[in-house]
Amino acid sequence: MPSPTSTIPGADASPLQDSQIQSLHQQLQSALAEISHLRQRAIAESQSQTSLTGLDAEPGSAESVWRPAWDGFRRGFVLAYGIRAGLGTMTRALALARAGQYKDLQGWRLVSERGLQYREDAVRLGLFVGGFTGSYHLISRALHRWQGHMSPAHNCMAAGTAAGLTLMFLSKERRRTLALYMLARLAQCLYNSLKQRGLFHFWGSDWAYGDALLFALSSAQVMYGYVMRPETLPTSYWKFIVKSGPVEAPALEAVRRSIRKLPIDLQAFNAFLKKRGSAALLATAFPKQISDEMLHPQTASALRHSMKVPWATFRKTFPLYMSISLVPYVVLNLKRALRNPLGTAGHAVGSAVRSTSFLSAFVGLYSSFITLHRKLFSWDHKLVYYAAGLVASGSILIEKKSRRSELALYVMPRAVDSFVLALTKKRCLPSIKFGEVILFSLCMGGLMYYSDRPASKAWWISGQEPFVL
């Protein structure tokens, strides 16, 4: 019969086994100590990274103030310049490939002097992003060092407001667009904060298609401005719409003058129609309506034109959307893109196809609505083009739910800008010099105030903030 101690594991273990157990115990203690050391080191590195905001650093030497600012400027400039240069280069490459000009893709021709037209925009964007990041770090660190009594939130707000003056590096058109875009983002953050605290809830904000409705109202205003008031839209944006659409600028000018009862230059407009191969010519300088054949003189059949427009738009805009889908992701997530290049390319192609299909459907519906109106009625009115924008906005349903609100908030500032400029032209509102810079600075101060409140920020701002700040 075995003794009681023999039933206990290890009770009759040999001295060799005891030494092995002690050795393993010592190795385990050493491994745990190493893990603890690595963990403390990782926490320290993480804290040093987050201290780049200027709020976690203790007052120290002057280098602790300017070094993060210089690093932030370099990082912001390189990222912004790289994204803009990559977009320009890839868009040009896809356009040359679509046109069959493969010789220009060889060697250094792709980045020759002729193909570097984006340089000024890239430098401006780099100086703006880098300047904002660097000045934000510099001011926030300086305030934290010499005004330590300020709360972190007010520190961020003051630094963001002052750093917003770097918007001056951009052109005036881009300033207005970006200022209004940030105003929309600030309103979104403010609403999220109030809703989170139970202080305010906007009626209809929880609708399943509220974002589509906002996009429709904004797009209708933009498309009205595209036809009736092009001076209220940024020149580059208006040219993009004209290039994407089937109606050329001379035909749009004739439509505007016809609705406003202004005389049309018959000689110039008929010369345009003949050049495009149209058999229909304008007989009077004061027509009730510019016929459908004159809007698209290169295609006589209305049915054929309606079928041709979406595909033509797809071919023209796919290179742009492919570049937008791929280049920023690769620049901001280079390691992840290199680990899975096929997956990255496949995701970019899928996103580009979906976004291009949305825009193609939008242009097709807008053109078809105007064509149908001309088949049913012999008169024209400016609100027809507003209604056409509402109908065409149904194409937003092609996009993913998460993208609809982003597109709505992208178009809404342009719609508000168009509406405000129209009122300014009529002298209903005053014009303030550098008003867009002041507005942007105040908005950036507000957005930086919410920088430590992730629940109040839009996912886009929360996702992009680490790359910029």
Side-chain angles (χ1 to χ4, degrees):
M1 182 175 180
S3 63
T5 57
S6 67
T7 62
I8 301 174
D12 56 348
S14 64
L16 179 61
Q17 290 175 329
D18 288 339
S19 65
Q20 289 177 347
I21 291 173
Q22 291 177 359
S23 177
L24 289 173
H25 180 67
Q26 292 175 356
Q27 292 178 6
L28 179 60
Q29 285 183 330
S30 177
L32 291 174
E34 181 68 18
I35 291 174
S36 177
H37 174 71
L38 291 175
R39 182 173 178 273
Q40 292 176 357
R41 182 179 177 183
I43 292 174
E45 290 179 354
S46 176
Q47 289 177 348
S48 66
Q49 279 293 106
T50 56
S51 69
L52 287 178
T53 59
L55 302 180
D56 298 326
E58 294 294 331
S61 62
E63 184 178 357
S64 65
V65 176
W66 65 263
R67 174 64 68 180
W70 171 243
D71 291 341
F73 173 80
R74 289 187 305 169
R75 177 184 175 86
F77 183 89
V78 171
L79 284 176
Y81 188 94
I83 290 175
R84 181 62 185 90
L87 285 173
T89 303
M90 187 170 182
T91 303
R92 173 173 163 78
L94 292 174
L96 291 174
R98 185 167 61 89
Q101 300 176 10
Y102 300 107
K103 290 184 178 180
D104 290 337
L105 296 174
Q106 300 174 3
W108 291 97
R109 292 185 180 182
L110 181 61
V111 290
S112 62
E113 195 70 21
R114 180 184 175 187
L116 294 179
Q117 299 177 358
Y118 58 78
R119 283 182 302 182
E120 181 181 348
D121 284 344
V123 171
R124 281 178 174 269
L125 186 62
L127 289 174
F128 161 62
V129 176
F132 179 87
T133 306
S135 58
Y136 175 81
H137 288 318
L138 181 66
I139 296 170
S140 62
R141 288 252 178 173
L143 289 175
H144 181 72
R145 183 181 181 186
W146 290 295
Q147 298 291 334
H149 64 276
M150 289 184 66
S151 66
H154 290 99
N155 188 310
C156 290
M157 183 170 64
T161 302
L165 297 176
T166 56
L167 186 70
M168 292 293 293
F169 283 117
L170 299 182
S171 62
K172 188 174 182 179
E173 287 186 354
R174 296 184 184 276
R175 289 182 219 157
R176 295 184 62 87
T177 301
L178 194 56
L180 289 169
Y181 181 73
M182 290 305 171
L183 178 62
R185 290 298 181 181
L186 178 60
Q188 186 182 20
C189 291
L190 178 62
Y191 171 74
N192 289 341
S193 177
L194 294 176
K195 183 179 178 180
Q196 183 186 11
R197 290 184 287 174
L199 299 178
F200 181 72
H201 179 72
F202 188 71
W203 179 80
S205 63
D206 53 352
W207 289 356
Y209 298 101
D211 46 12
L213 177 60
L214 177 60
F215 176 81
L217 295 174
S218 302
S219 297
Q221 175 62 37
V222 169
M223 298 311 293
Y224 169 82
Y226 150 72
V227 177
M228 296 303 304
R229 289 191 171 273
E231 70 277 4
T232 64
L233 296 175
T235 304
S236 58
Y237 188 57
W238 183 79
K239 288 181 178 179
F240 170 75
I241 300 177
V242 173
K243 183 179 178 181
S244 303
V247 182
E248 298 185 53
L252 291 172
E253 175 65 21
V255 169
R256 280 193 296 275
R257 299 187 71 84
S258 172
I259 293 175
R260 293 171 179 169
K261 309 300 181 184
L262 297 175
I264 299 174
D265 187 342
L266 291 179
Q267 183 177 359
F269 186 61
N270 285 333
F272 159 75
L273 294 176
K274 291 179 181 179
K275 186 177 180 180
R276 294 294 182 269
S278 174
L281 298 177
L282 193 62
T284 174
F286 295 91
K288 292 183 178 179
Q289 182 189 78
I290 301 297
S291 66
D292 195 48
E293 293 80 5
M294 296 179 185
L295 289 180
H296 47 85
Q298 64 275 18
T299 307
S301 172
L303 179 61
R304 183 184 176 189
H305 174 73
S306 299
M307 296 175 63
K308 179 182 176 182
V309 164
W311 172 241
T313 302
F314 189 98
R315 292 180 67 251
K316 286 187 287 187
T317 57
F318 179 77
L320 174 63
Y321 276 106
M322 184 63 192
S323 303
I324 293 175
S325 300
L326 182 61
V327 173
Y329 180 84
V330 171
V331 172
L332 298 177
N333 304 276
L334 183 59
K335 292 182 178 179
R336 190 181 304 175
L338 292 177
R339 282 198 301 265
N340 186 17
L342 293 179
T344 300
H347 181 267
V349 171
S351 299
V353 168
R354 192 165 192 167
S355 297
T356 310
S357 299
F358 146 69
L359 183 61
S360 302
F362 184 96
V363 176
L365 288 172
Y366 189 85
S367 177
S368 299
F369 182 90
I370 295 175
T371 297
L372 180 63
H373 170 264
R374 277 163 165 70
K375 293 297 181 183
L376 297 177
F377 306 100
S378 60
W379 52 267
D380 204 358
H381 194 274
K382 58 185 179 181
L383 292 181
V384 171
Y385 305 95
Y386 189 94
L390 287 175
V391 173
S393 298
S395 60
I396 189 66
L397 300 178
I398 296 176
E399 285 283 9
K400 295 185 296 185
K401 176 67 176 177
S402 59
R403 280 276 295 162
R404 294 175 196 167
S405 59
E406 297 303 312
L407 287 170
L409 289 174
Y410 174 76
V411 177
M412 186 184 70
R414 298 179 183 273
V416 173
D417 189 28
S418 175
F419 182 72
V420 170
L421 281 178
L423 294 179
T424 304
K425 294 287 184 182
K426 294 182 179 180
R427 301 183 182 277
C428 296
L429 290 176
S431 178
I432 303 175
K433 191 174 183 179
F434 299 115
E436 69 280 356
V437 179
I438 298 173
L439 177 62
F440 178 81
S441 295
L442 295 176
C443 289
M444 291 310 300
L447 289 173
M448 292 300 103
Y449 177 83
Y450 287 106
S451 61
D452 60 342
R453 294 170 172 81
S456 300
K457 292 187 290 185
W459 70 268
W460 185 89
I461 296 176
S462 300
Q464 300 302 318
E465 189 177 15
F467 295 107
V468 178
L469 299 181

